Amino acid sequence: MVVYINSIKFNRSLVDGPGVRTVVFFQGCDLHCKGCQNPSSWEMKNGTEMTTDELVVILKKEVVNKKVTFSGGEPLLQIDFVIELFTLLKEKGLHTCVDTSGITFQPDNQVSVEKHKKLLEVADLFLLDIKHIDAAKHKEFTGHENRQMLENAVRVAMSRQTE
């Protein structure tokens, strides 16, 4: 499977989950937020193309503390790849975190629900970057409503209550 990567910051992030982490910035984002920190990540095809195996080899070799966050852009635009990658990294003992806006979750689409359910099974941690709680302000800032992001937040929280 192929993915588009914007960049990788090895073993130096303190703000993308607990501990010192490596961050893989995925390419592609539908939000185009005002004041975006990574506008170079918006267009999917502008990134470096990598396979699952290539990325696993790089991460296994370079990640010192076994903690990896997948950010963006929006990593869940490439959710099949993230599920496959998290499954492989979990087998290798790496702690995985996804930093997502939640925009890809479609509560009325069974395929989306099933893919996100599978992701919940293989991801160790979720960071939900909801841009604004007020629907009108969220739409003004991102161009999108926040209903699906808020429903995603509830779904993630509910899935973690049994842990």
Side-chain angles (χ1 to χ4, degrees):
M1 194 173 291
V2 174
V3 71
Y4 294 95
I5 300 295
N6 179 278
S7 62
I8 304 174
K9 306 296 182 211
F10 291 103
N11 307 304
R12 61 181 176 174
S13 175
L14 298 171
V15 297
D16 295 291
V20 178
R21 306 182 74 84
T22 292
V23 182
V24 178
F25 293 94
F26 279 60
Q27 200 63 32
C29 187
D30 289 343
L31 288 182
H32 301 187
C33 300
K34 295 176 183 175
C36 176
Q37 292 183 343
N38 298 322
S40 66
S41 69
W42 289 355
E43 297 303 319
M44 184 74 74
K45 301 287 181 174
N46 288 350
T48 301
E49 202 173 288
M50 297 182 101
T51 66
T52 312
D53 292 337
E54 289 170 332
L55 190 51
V56 167
V57 167
I58 291 168
L59 294 174
K60 187 67 180 152
K61 178 181 175 189
E62 299 293 335
V63 176
V64 174
N65 55 5
K66 297 188 179 268
K67 296 178 180 181
V68 184
T69 297
F70 297 85
S71 190
E74 174 52 64
L76 298 187
L77 286 175
Q78 302 177 79
I79 192 170
D80 293 327
F81 184 91
V82 174
I83 291 168
E84 181 179 332
L85 187 60
F86 277 22
T87 301
L88 292 170
L89 293 177
K90 193 173 200 121
E91 291 171 3
K92 302 210 178 290
L94 275 72
H95 181 276
T96 57
C97 173
V98 62
D99 184 354
T100 176
S101 69
I103 191 170
T104 64
F105 180 62
Q106 300 169 20
D108 301 327
N109 178 315
Q110 192 57 38
V111 172
S112 174
V113 170
E114 289 302 316
K115 286 183 181 188
H116 283 80
K117 181 179 177 184
K118 180 63 179 165
L119 180 65
L120 284 167
E121 294 171 5
V122 295
D124 294 310
L125 182 67
F126 275 76
L127 297 176
L128 289 169
D129 186 9
I130 298 170
K131 307 303 180 180
H132 206 290
I133 198 72
D134 178 271
K137 290 181 180 176
H138 190 281
K139 187 164 186 170
E140 178 184 328
F141 186 70
T142 68
H144 295 268
E145 294 183 4
N146 64 357
R147 180 185 73 88
Q148 71 196 56
M149 287 100 162
L150 295 175
E151 288 185 26
N152 194 23
V154 169
R155 184 186 59 83
V156 170
M158 296 298 287
S159 76
R160 300 302 192 202
Q161 282 187 344
T162 59
E163 294 179 1

